[in-house]
Amino acid sequence: TLVDSAPDVLEAIAAVLRDAGDPVPQMALSIIGPPLEGIFREVCPDADEAKIARHVAAFRDLYFGGTFPKSTPYPGIFALLERLRAKGCRLFVATHKPEAAAQRMLTLKGFMPFLEGVGCTDSLPDRQLCKKDIIRLLMERHALDPASMVMVGDTALDIRGGNEQGIATIAALYGYGDKAKLLAERPRYMNGARSARRSSPYKIKKPSFFRSEKGRLFVVTMYDPALFQRASVLEEERDFPCKDMIPGATTGPSASSA
């Protein structure tokens, strides 16, 4: 969850629908993230598969052929990547975007110098990979140990894919995914802030700590490496229920004293 791509994505979807003579519905941010076929089935529920395929092809030509002018990196993300790299973390991207488009966006927005690899839905010939398969491909190509991996994502498919591969997962609630669907996938940790550019009752300006039912601390924070630094502590409690500013959650030590 590196780039706020909603303006370009939603604009391209609307343009495809208008060009086809279809009505343009009000679109929630949560439609962003799944494969294109799923997005167009949601905005065109009465369309047959042939029409969905035409919409997908038109979107790819329009969106993936552009320069993503309105898509911007989330505030603070480059500072986080620099700190993670400085601590020896290996960084990868797993995305449902086609590989050529993903590489192009990551290059245009300045992310490639931080990354060791990118896995995409078409990274293997003649196959469309789901998120679980994309993660598996990165693990195999780069000899990654599941025990030392973390999958960060803002959709239910991201968290499900990480869980299915047996790796730790962090639900990025600052992204576009539906919060209820994200939490239904039981992420091991979660980030409780939305983008700093959006107003939200869950916005957090500094790291905050809450207690699980078993009394251990876990982090709810935005772009803070503490999620990774405290992994050894959190690993001891794999099954605690996630809480994000839920009434009744017990506040732990302040960020300054943690």
Side-chain angles (χ1 to χ4, degrees):
T1 310
L2 304 173
V3 176
D4 183 359
S5 58
D8 288 323
V9 172
L10 296 180
E11 188 174 287
I13 293 172
V16 168
L17 296 177
R18 284 194 298 267
D19 289 347
D22 289 333
V24 179
Q26 184 175 355
M27 292 179 282
L29 292 176
S30 59
I31 71 168
I32 299 174
L36 289 172
E37 291 80 3
I39 292 175
F40 279 103
R41 288 190 189 101
E42 183 168 341
V43 298
C44 300
D46 298 327
D48 58 24
E49 291 304 307
K51 189 170 191 177
I52 294 294
R54 290 195 298 271
H55 284 348
V56 168
F59 178 94
R60 285 177 173 156
D61 289 342
L62 179 62
Y63 177 73
F64 295 136
T67 58
F68 320 107
K70 298 179 181 179
S71 298
T72 56
Y74 281 107
I77 197 66
F78 285 118
L80 172 62
L81 297 181
E82 288 172 356
R83 293 173 71 179
L84 292 175
R85 285 294 300 270
K87 292 179 180 296
C89 295
R90 303 171 64 190
L91 305 177
F92 303 84
V93 164
T95 176
H96 282 126
K97 288 182 173 63
E99 190 156 338
Q103 295 274 0
R104 190 156 172 263
M105 173 179 274
L106 292 167
T107 299
L108 287 172
K109 302 303 177 181
F111 287 103
M112 288 306 292
F114 297 97
L115 304 175
E116 285 193 38
V118 179
C120 302
T121 191
D122 61 349
S123 289
L124 291 178
D126 304 320
R127 285 187 60 188
Q128 185 174 38
L129 304 181
C130 64
K131 191 58 64 81
K132 176 185 72 172
D133 296 332
I134 295 170
I135 295 169
R136 168 58 62 181
L137 181 65
L138 289 170
M139 293 166 66
E140 293 173 349
R141 285 182 173 177
H142 300 277
L144 304 177
D145 178 8
S148 65
M149 293 175 63
V150 177
M151 174 66 186
V152 184
D154 67 335
T155 73
L157 294 177
D158 295 326
I159 304 306
R160 186 181 308 158
N163 287 339
E164 287 174 344
Q165 290 296 353
I167 65 177
T169 52
I170 300 176
L173 299 182
Y174 62 86
Y176 306 136
D178 180 271
K179 180 182 175 182
K181 292 179 180 178
L182 275 167
L183 298 187
E185 296 296 332
R186 296 185 60 81
R188 193 170 301 172
Y189 321 122
M190 60 187 164
N191 176 310
R194 291 197 181 273
S195 168
R197 294 185 297 158
R198 294 186 178 88
S199 61
S200 169
Y202 302 104
K203 182 176 177 182
I204 297 174
K205 294 183 179 180
K206 63 182 181 179
S208 300
F209 296 81
F210 299 90
R211 294 187 185 277
S212 70
E213 290 182 349
K214 295 182 181 178
R216 292 194 180 275
L217 294 176
F218 62 96
V219 177
V220 182
T221 184
M222 183 174 185
Y223 302 131
D224 195 281
L227 281 170
F228 299 89
Q229 293 170 352
R230 298 183 63 83
S232 60
V233 175
L234 295 168
E235 281 289 328
E236 297 176 17
E237 193 172 352
R238 293 176 179 269
D239 296 324
F240 67 77
C242 287
K243 294 182 180 179
D244 172 33
M245 304 185 74
I246 296 174
T250 305
T251 303
S254 67
S256 60
S257 65

